[in-house]
Amino acid sequence: MHFTPERMTPLKALRLGIDTHQELIIYLRADCPVCRSEGFSAMSRVLVSSDQHHAIATLNIVTGDLLERGQIGFSESAWQRLQLHDSDPLWLSHPKPVQSLSYVRAKVYGHELDEMAFQSIINDIVDGRYADVHVAAFVTACGDDHLNDNEITALTHAMIKAGSTINWHLPIVIDKHCVGGLPGNRTTPIVVPILAACGLTMPKTSSRAITSPAGTADTMETLTNVSLTQKEMREVVKQQGACLAWGGAMRLSPADDLLIQVERALDIDSEGQLIASVLSKKIAAGATHVLIDIPVGSTAKIRTPEAAEKLAASFRSVAKKLGLNIEILLTDGSQPVGRGIGPALEAYDILAVLQNSPGAPKDLKDRACMVAGAMLEMIGEEKPGAGQAKALSILESGLAWEKFQAICFAQGGLHKPPVAAYRYSLVCHIAGIVTAIDNRQLAQIAKLAGAPADPEAGVEFFVKLGQHVEENQIMMTIHAANAGELNYAVDYLEDHRQVILIEQEQEQEQEQEK
Amino acid sequence: MHFTPERMTPLKALRLGIDTHQELIIYLRADCPVCRSEGFSAMSRVLVSSDQHHAIATLNIVTGDLLERGQIGFSESAWQRLQLHDSDPLWLSHPKPVQSLSYVRAKVYGHELDEMAFQSIINDIVDGRYADVHVAAFVTACGDDHLNDNEITALTHAMIKAGSTINWHLPIVIDKHCVGGLPGNRTTPIVVPILAACGLTMPKTSSRAITSPAGTADTMETLTNVSLTQKEMREVVKQQGACLAWGGAMRLSPADDLLIQVERALDIDSEGQLIASVLSKKIAAGATHVLIDIPVGSTAKIRTPEAAEKLAASFRSVAKKLGLNIEILLTDGSQPVGRGIGPALEAYDILAVLQNSPGAPKDLKDRACMVAGAMLEMIGEEKPGAGQAKALSILESGLAWEKFQAICFAQGGLHKPPVAAYRYSLVCHIAGIVTAIDNRQLAQIAKLAGAPADPEAGVEFFVKLGQHVEENQIMMTIHAANAGELNYAVDYLEDHRQVILIEQEQEQEQEQEK
C-alpha cells in the first residue's frame, strides 16, 4: 500500500533559461500532485533527485502556462548542479533538516564554534543545502568581530578542505592580496613578472570584479587568455614560474565564492570572513608566503590606521596558526592609483609601466615596486630596505616586460586591449588645488559607463590630491562602448560633482576676502 | 545629450505567473539594453517604476525565450505590488542605497537601536526595500536575546505604526494568544463565545497556519466565513461583541507577516521578535487586556519552566511600557489537546465542547475554561479563583454555543466541517502505558496527510500520557482527502514509531525479568 517518493511518477526536466545566480530554483505547476501530497508551497525547500544527482532547491510555483503538466522547470544554477538533460526524470521530496543550521543558531546565541562545526556549515553551503537566507544568517552571525582568532583559523581550514588544493612541492611559493577597493590599484600584473624574473614561483589566480569596475582577471583578460584549467595553470607556472590566471574555474575555496555574494548584498563587514576568504584562497593555491596590501583612506574599505592595525594583527595571528608566512603592508588609500579605472584602461597603465614608457603613471610604478620589494625582503631574497630598488631595477631593465610577454604567450598569446569609441571629458571650471577625491563615486561612474562588462569602458583620471589645476584643464575622461552608457555615467557625474573637490588657492581666497 | 531613466524607452510588463511568495522578482532578457547600461546582473536589486508606483525587486536574467525583446517579466508578488496591467510601460534604474541597513549593521556590531532606527527598518521592510537576505540579517542580528526590553518596546511601536490600527473607544477590549505549537490546542473558538456571552468585547483576529497543521483561522473557516474586511469585522463585533476572523487582510502589523516567513525559514528563536510580533498585532487590533498562554513541555516550543518564566518576565516588562494589561498563563505542553489535529477535526472537537456532547474532549474543555476564567479574573469580572467556574457555567448553560452560532451567522453562516474519505488507524501491538508523545512528529504526520490545505485531513489522537492501552486498541487515525496523501503520512509514521512510546507495565516487566 505504501510507496516512497522514488516510486512515484517522475516529473520531466525542463530548462527554463532563468539565471538566478547561485540560488537554485525549481518551478512547479500549482496543480502538481506532488505539491499537494508533500505540502510544498512557494519558497519551500525541496530535495530534487535525478537518477544520478540530487540537490536542495527553493520552489517557485507557476500559476501560468510556463510549464505543461508533469514538467518541472529549472533555473540555470539548478540545471547545472544536477547536470540535467531535457526530459530527464526527476523525483521530489522533503529534504532532511540541515543539521549544521544548529551551529549557525549556536553562533547567533554567542557560542564559540569549533572546526567540526565550521566544516559542517561550509560543506553544506558548498553542497547547496543552504538557501541564501541561511547564508545571510551565517554571515550576519559571524559579522563584526564575532569570530575570535581560533574560530577564524577553523573557518579558514574548513573552507580550504571544502575545495581543491594545489601542492607545488617547493619551499617558497609567493602570493599577494590587496584588501579592499582602491580604483586602478592594479599592481599584480606588474609585481608578478618582476618576481618571476627574479626566479621566484608565483602562481597568481585572481577574481573577476564583483562590485568594482574591474578585477585583476578582467584586466588581464583584455591582454591574454585567463581561463585556465588547473592543469593548464600548472604548465604555465612550470614553464614561466608564474601565471596571471582567473581562479574561478579552479574550485580553490569554492565556499568563498558563495559567501562573498551574500556578504556584498548585505554589506556587513566581517573581519573574520575577510581573513578566512583571503587566506583560504591563498593556502588552497599552495602559497607559502603572502603579502597583504591594506590601503587606508577615508573613502577606501579600511578607513583609519587603527582599523588597519587591528585587521593586520588578526591576519598575523591567524596566518601563524595556519603555518603561513605573512607580511602586511599598510599603504596610502586616499586616491586612485594610476590613470585608468576599468579593465582596458588599467591594462594600458600596466603596459606603460612595464614598457617603461615616458608617460607611465609614476604612482602605479612606485606602488608595484614597493609591493614587489616587500615580497623580496620577506622571503630573504633582499635585505630589509633593499627590495624596492631591486624591483625597480628589474622593471627598468626590461626583464619584467619580457617575463610578462612570456607569461601571456604561455597562456595563449598577447593582444592589444580594446579602445572606447565614446568619451566625455570633465574640465575644471576654476583654477585651484585638488583637495578630495571620492574613490567610491569614481568606481560608480566607471561601472555606469559599462565596466567591467564592456572592457573598454571606465574612467581615465588625470589629477592627484594636492595638485594645482588650471581653468579648463581636463580632470577626467569617461570612456564607454556606446552613447547610452556614456550618458548614464555623465548624468551621475553631474549629480555628484563632489567626486573631485577643487579649492581656490589661499592667496586667491584672501584676495577675494579683501 | 543626457537623459534620466524616465526618458528611456519603457519596457512592457508581462505577468509570468510565478509565485515567489513575498520576494519581489522581475525577469529581464540577457540582451536587454538596460542590463548593460545599468550594469544589472542576476540577483541585482533594481528599482522598477510604473506611471503610478515603484518598488525594489530582485532581478533574474532570462537566457531562454520566455520574454520577447522589450518585455519585462514579473513574479506574482511584484505584479501585485506595482498593481500592473499587461503591457504597462515600466522603467528601471538603480535603487538608492537602503539607508536603514546601516541600523541593521549597527545591531550586528552590538549597538542598541532606538525607535527611530527600528521605524526606518520596519518601514523599509513593509515598503519592500529589503530582499529576503536583508530581512534574514535583521532577524539574525536580533536573534536570541540581543534586544533589551526598551528595544523590544521600540520595535513593537514601529511595527504597529507601519500598519492599520483599530480604536474601539471602549475601556476594556480583551484578546488572547497562545505561544507556540501544541497540536489541537484550539481553545480560542470556545473562549471567545464564553466571554462574549458575559458581555465582553473580544474582536478576535487569527492567523492561518504557516508551519503547523492548522491555524485558528483555518479551523474556523471549516465552520463559517472568516475573510472579513475591517469594516465587516467592526459590524460583527458591534452586533455580537466578538468575532472569529482571519487577520491576514486587515494590515494589522503587516511587518510581522513579512518577518515571520524568514524567521521560520531560519528557525532562529528570537524572544524579542516573538514578543513584538504578538503584542504589535494585539495593540493594532485595539486590545487593552491580553492573556498569553505559554504551553511548556519537552516537545513544545517552550521546553522548560525557566525558559517560560524568562519569556513571561519580558512579556510583562514590554507590555507595561506599552500600557497594555497582560496576564501570563503557563500551561501543560506535554501532549496534544483534544482529539483532532487538522482544521475540520479540531472543529469537531470544538463543536462537541460547545454543544456539551457526552464524548467532548475534557482536556480541551478544561483548558478553554481555565483560559476564559483567567481572563474574567484579569479584568475584574470575577474574583481570583472564581473565573474558571464561571466560564464552565456559561459553557454548560448553552449560552456559549448560542453566542458561537450567532457570531458565525453574523460572519456569513454556520456550516458543517468536511469529513475525510481516506483513513488509516494505528493500533497498539502490546498492552502498556503511554509514556511519551512527540508533538512535533504528530504535527508532521497531520501535515503530510494534507492539513491544512485539505481541511478534512489530519490526525485523530485517542490516547493521553499515563493512560493504559490494550493490545489492538486504536491509538490514532490518520485522515486524508486521497490515497496518495494518506500513504505518505503512513510511510512517515512507520519510520517514526517513537511518536508514541508504550511501555509494558511494571508488574509485567518484573514478571519478564524473572
Side-chain angles (χ1 to χ4, degrees):
Chain A
M1 166 178 175
H2 314 309
F3 51 82
T4 56
E6 286 68 28
R7 274 174 268 147
M8 292 165 71
T9 311
L11 292 158
K12 283 187 182 172
L14 179 70
R15 184 176 192 165
L16 282 176
I18 296 178
D19 177 1
T20 57
H21 205 82
Q22 69 192 46
E23 185 89 300
L24 309 186
I25 305 280
I26 59 165
Y27 303 81
L28 284 180
R29 286 170 63 107
D31 59 5
C32 182
V34 74
C35 284
R36 298 194 68 205
S37 67
E38 298 275 335
F40 293 145
S41 59
M43 303 309 268
S44 286
R45 296 286 285 167
V46 175
L47 179 67
V48 193
S49 306
S50 69
D51 287 332
Q52 307 283 333
H53 302 280
H54 62 266
I56 299 176
T58 297
L59 177 62
N60 283 188
I61 296 286
V62 170
T63 51
D65 52 3
L66 287 186
L67 298 171
E68 290 171 25
R69 278 179 191 277
Q71 280 186 327
I72 169 172
F74 283 81
S75 71
E76 290 300 286
S77 51
W79 186 265
Q80 279 152 22
R81 168 153 317 238
L82 283 154
Q83 300 177 31
L84 292 173
H85 303 90
D86 263 330
S87 297
D88 274 358
L90 289 150
W91 293 265
L92 302 185
S93 57
H94 282 278
K96 291 208 177 104
V98 180
Q99 297 297 344
S100 70
L101 286 172
S102 66
Y103 300 122
V104 176
R105 285 188 278 275
K107 192 70 229 168
V108 174
Y109 301 153
H111 300 127
E112 184 174 334
L113 300 187
D114 60 14
E115 189 164 337
M116 192 276 288
F118 280 115
Q119 195 69 61
S120 311
I121 292 169
I122 292 299
N123 289 350
D124 280 342
I125 289 175
V126 171
D127 288 349
R129 292 181 196 280
Y130 278 39
D132 280 355
V133 289
H134 300 126
V135 178
F138 176 59
V139 166
T140 306
C142 299
D144 194 25
D145 54 0
H146 296 177
L147 300 185
N148 63 36
D149 288 350
N150 286 331
E151 288 178 294
I152 301 172
T153 308
L155 174 60
T156 309
H157 259 306
M159 288 171 70
I160 295 167
K161 281 194 202 158
S164 312
T165 53
I166 306 177
N167 188 341
W168 297 95
H169 303 288
L170 288 169
I172 296 182
V173 177
I174 53 173
D175 208 338
K176 73 167 279 285
H177 184 85
C178 177
V179 169
L182 192 57
N185 190 21
R186 198 64 56 209
T187 56
T188 296
I190 304 166
V191 170
V192 167
I194 290 175
L195 296 175
C198 294
L200 300 172
T201 303
M202 189 164 181
K204 190 84 197 78
T205 59
S206 304
S207 55
R208 292 189 198 279
I210 297 176
T211 60
S212 70
T216 296
D218 299 308
T219 298
M220 282 307 302
E221 199 166 37
T222 68
L223 292 157
T224 186
N225 167 47
V226 296
S227 298
L228 305 185
T229 63
Q230 232 187 73
K231 184 159 171 284
E232 290 166 340
M233 175 179 98
R234 282 169 182 277
E235 274 169 34
V236 172
V237 174
K238 197 173 153 194
Q239 208 186 94
Q240 298 298 334
C243 67
L244 280 156
W246 174 53
M250 297 186 195
R251 275 190 72 79
L252 304 169
S253 190
D256 183 47
D257 304 331
L258 300 168
L259 288 172
I260 219 163
Q261 293 294 338
V262 174
E263 287 169 17
R264 305 268 170 151
L266 298 177
D267 198 14
I268 289 178
D269 283 328
S270 165
E271 197 166 272
Q273 288 185 331
L274 168 64
I275 294 171
S277 163
V278 172
L279 297 188
S280 67
K281 285 276 190 208
K282 300 301 168 203
I283 294 171
T288 61
H289 293 69
V290 175
L291 182 126
I292 306 288
D293 173 6
I294 306 181
V296 187
S298 63
T299 58
K301 183 180 177 74
I302 308 297
R303 302 188 183 207
T304 65
E306 295 71 36
E309 276 304 342
K310 184 164 168 291
L311 179 62
S314 272
F315 256 117
R316 286 192 197 100
S317 159
V318 173
K320 194 174 171 189
K321 288 176 203 284
L322 293 163
L324 181 75
N325 296 287
I326 203 171
E327 190 69 42
I328 312 279
L329 208 57
L330 303 190
T331 57
D332 174 16
S334 60
Q335 59 182 328
V337 180
R339 274 194 295 272
I341 302 167
L345 293 169
E346 294 179 21
Y348 281 109
D349 278 356
I350 289 159
L351 293 174
V353 171
L354 285 169
Q355 295 169 348
N356 296 299
S357 308
K362 188 172 178 312
D363 58 342
L364 178 64
K365 179 175 175 176
D366 288 348
R367 281 181 91 106
C369 290
M370 177 174 65
V371 169
M375 293 173 78
L376 287 169
E377 291 171 18
M378 84 176 281
I379 58 166
E381 276 281 307
E382 292 293 327
K383 288 196 189 123
Q388 184 161 358
K390 174 67 185 288
L392 187 65
S393 77
I394 299 283
L395 179 64
E396 294 191 335
S397 72
L399 287 172
W401 170 229
E402 261 177 46
K403 177 54 83 176
F404 183 84
Q405 294 175 83
I407 292 170
C408 289
F409 282 115
Q411 292 188 190
L414 175 63
H415 46 251
K416 197 173 175 316
V419 173
Y422 293 83
R423 304 189 187 182
Y424 171 92
S425 291
L426 177 70
V427 297
C428 191
H429 293 306
I430 52 163
I433 296 286
V434 179
T435 56
I437 297 169
D438 191 314
N439 291 321
R440 290 161 197 247
Q441 292 186 352
L442 264 185
Q444 186 66 21
I445 292 169
K447 288 191 287 176
L448 289 171
D454 299 335
E456 66 267 52
V459 172
E460 248 184 316
F461 197 76
F462 300 105
V463 297
K464 296 287 169 192
L465 283 175
Q467 180 181 331
H468 173 80
V469 287
E470 295 294 339
E471 202 180 331
N472 288 329
Q473 181 175 339
I474 294 179
M475 296 192 293
M476 58 187 281
T477 298
I478 302 175
H479 294 235
N482 58 58
E485 288 176 307
L486 184 64
N487 286 344
Y488 204 67
V490 172
D491 275 345
Y492 180 91
L493 174 61
E494 292 191 342
D495 283 350
H496 297 82
R497 295 306 285 263
Q498 72 276 27
V499 64
I500 312 173
L501 290 185
I502 309 293
E503 278 183 23
Q504 289 181 301
E505 281 167 275
Q506 225 160 12
E507 276 181 25
Q508 292 173 306
E509 276 177 37
Q510 285 170 346
E511 275 169 29
Q512 285 180 331
E513 278 166 25
K514 291 171 198 171
Chain B
M1 169 177 175
H2 314 308
F3 51 82
T4 55
E6 287 67 29
R7 274 173 269 148
M8 292 165 71
T9 311
L11 292 156
K12 283 187 183 173
L14 179 70
R15 184 177 191 165
L16 282 175
I18 297 177
D19 178 1
T20 57
H21 205 84
Q22 70 191 46
E23 185 89 300
L24 309 186
I25 306 280
I26 60 164
Y27 303 82
L28 283 181
R29 287 170 64 108
D31 59 5
C32 182
V34 75
C35 285
R36 298 193 70 206
S37 67
E38 298 276 336
F40 293 145
S41 59
M43 304 308 269
S44 286
R45 298 283 287 166
V46 175
L47 179 67
V48 193
S49 306
S50 69
D51 286 333
Q52 306 283 333
H53 304 279
H54 61 265
I56 299 177
T58 296
L59 177 63
N60 283 188
I61 296 286
V62 171
T63 51
D65 53 2
L66 288 185
L67 297 172
E68 289 171 25
R69 276 179 193 279
Q71 281 186 328
I72 169 172
F74 283 82
S75 70
E76 291 300 287
S77 51
W79 186 265
Q80 277 152 24
R81 169 157 310 244
L82 283 154
Q83 301 178 32
L84 293 173
H85 302 91
D86 263 329
S87 298
D88 274 358
L90 288 149
W91 293 265
L92 302 185
S93 57
H94 281 279
K96 290 208 178 108
V98 180
Q99 298 297 344
S100 70
L101 286 172
S102 66
Y103 300 122
V104 175
R105 285 189 277 276
K107 191 70 229 168
V108 173
Y109 303 153
H111 300 126
E112 183 174 335
L113 301 188
D114 61 14
E115 190 164 337
M116 191 276 287
F118 280 114
Q119 194 71 61
S120 310
I121 293 170
I122 292 299
N123 289 351
D124 280 343
I125 290 175
V126 171
D127 288 348
R129 290 180 197 281
Y130 278 40
D132 280 355
V133 290
H134 301 125
V135 178
F138 176 60
V139 165
T140 305
C142 299
D144 193 26
D145 53 0
H146 296 177
L147 300 186
N148 63 34
D149 288 350
N150 285 331
E151 288 178 294
I152 303 173
T153 307
L155 174 60
T156 310
H157 259 307
M159 288 170 70
I160 295 166
K161 282 195 201 160
S164 311
T165 53
I166 306 176
N167 188 342
W168 297 96
H169 302 289
L170 287 169
I172 296 181
V173 177
I174 54 173
D175 207 338
K176 72 168 279 285
H177 183 84
C178 176
V179 169
L182 192 57
N185 189 22
R186 199 63 56 209
T187 55
T188 296
I190 305 167
V191 170
V192 167
I194 290 175
L195 296 175
C198 295
L200 299 172
T201 303
M202 189 164 182
K204 188 86 196 82
T205 59
S206 304
S207 55
R208 294 188 196 279
I210 297 174
T211 61
S212 71
T216 296
D218 299 307
T219 298
M220 282 308 301
E221 197 166 39
T222 69
L223 292 157
T224 186
N225 167 46
V226 296
S227 297
L228 307 184
T229 62
Q230 233 188 74
K231 185 160 170 279
E232 289 166 341
M233 174 179 100
R234 283 168 180 278
E235 274 168 33
V236 172
V237 174
K238 197 174 156 195
Q239 210 186 92
Q240 299 298 334
C243 68
L244 280 156
W246 173 53
M250 296 186 195
R251 275 189 72 81
L252 304 169
S253 190
D256 184 46
D257 305 331
L258 301 168
L259 288 173
I260 219 163
Q261 294 294 339
V262 174
E263 286 168 17
R264 306 268 169 151
L266 298 178
D267 198 16
I268 289 177
D269 282 328
S270 166
E271 197 165 272
Q273 287 186 331
L274 168 64
I275 294 171
S277 163
V278 172
L279 298 187
S280 67
K281 285 276 190 207
K282 299 302 167 203
I283 295 172
T288 61
H289 292 70
V290 175
L291 181 126
I292 307 287
D293 174 7
I294 306 182
V296 187
S298 62
T299 59
K301 183 180 177 76
I302 307 297
R303 302 187 182 209
T304 64
E306 295 70 36
E309 275 304 342
K310 184 165 168 291
L311 179 61
S314 272
F315 255 118
R316 285 192 197 100
S317 158
V318 173
K320 194 174 170 191
K321 289 176 202 286
L322 292 163
L324 181 75
N325 296 286
I326 202 170
E327 189 70 44
I328 312 278
L329 208 56
L330 303 190
T331 58
D332 175 16
S334 60
Q335 59 183 327
V337 180
R339 274 194 295 272
I341 304 166
L345 293 169
E346 294 178 22
Y348 282 109
D349 279 357
I350 289 158
L351 291 175
V353 170
L354 286 169
Q355 294 169 350
N356 295 301
S357 308
K362 188 172 177 311
D363 60 341
L364 179 63
K365 179 175 175 176
D366 288 349
R367 281 181 91 105
C369 289
M370 178 173 66
V371 170
M375 293 173 77
L376 287 169
E377 291 170 20
M378 83 175 281
I379 57 167
E381 274 283 307
E382 292 293 326
K383 287 194 192 128
Q388 185 162 357
K390 175 66 186 289
L392 188 65
S393 77
I394 300 282
L395 180 65
E396 294 190 336
S397 71
L399 287 172
W401 171 229
E402 261 178 44
K403 177 52 85 176
F404 183 84
Q405 294 174 84
I407 292 169
C408 289
F409 281 114
Q411 291 189 188
L414 175 63
H415 46 253
K416 198 171 171 320
V419 172
Y422 293 83
R423 303 189 188 184
Y424 170 92
S425 291
L426 177 72
V427 298
C428 194
H429 293 306
I430 51 164
I433 296 284
V434 179
T435 57
I437 297 169
D438 191 314
N439 290 322
R440 289 160 199 246
Q441 293 186 353
L442 263 184
Q444 187 65 20
I445 294 170
K447 286 191 287 175
L448 290 171
D454 300 334
E456 65 268 53
V459 172
E460 248 183 316
F461 197 76
F462 300 106
V463 296
K464 294 289 168 191
L465 282 176
Q467 180 180 332
H468 173 80
V469 288
E470 295 294 340
E471 202 179 330
N472 288 330
Q473 181 176 339
I474 294 178
M475 296 192 295
M476 60 188 279
T477 298
I478 302 174
H479 294 235
N482 58 59
E485 288 176 308
L486 184 64
N487 287 343
Y488 203 68
V490 172
D491 275 346
Y492 181 91
L493 175 60
E494 292 191 342
D495 283 350
H496 297 82
R497 295 305 284 263
Q498 71 277 27
V499 64
I500 313 174
L501 289 186
I502 310 293
E503 278 183 23
Q504 290 182 302
E505 281 168 276
Q506 224 161 13
E507 276 184 24
Q508 293 171 306
E509 277 177 36
Q510 283 169 350
E511 276 168 28
Q512 285 180 332
E513 279 167 24
K514 294 169 195 168

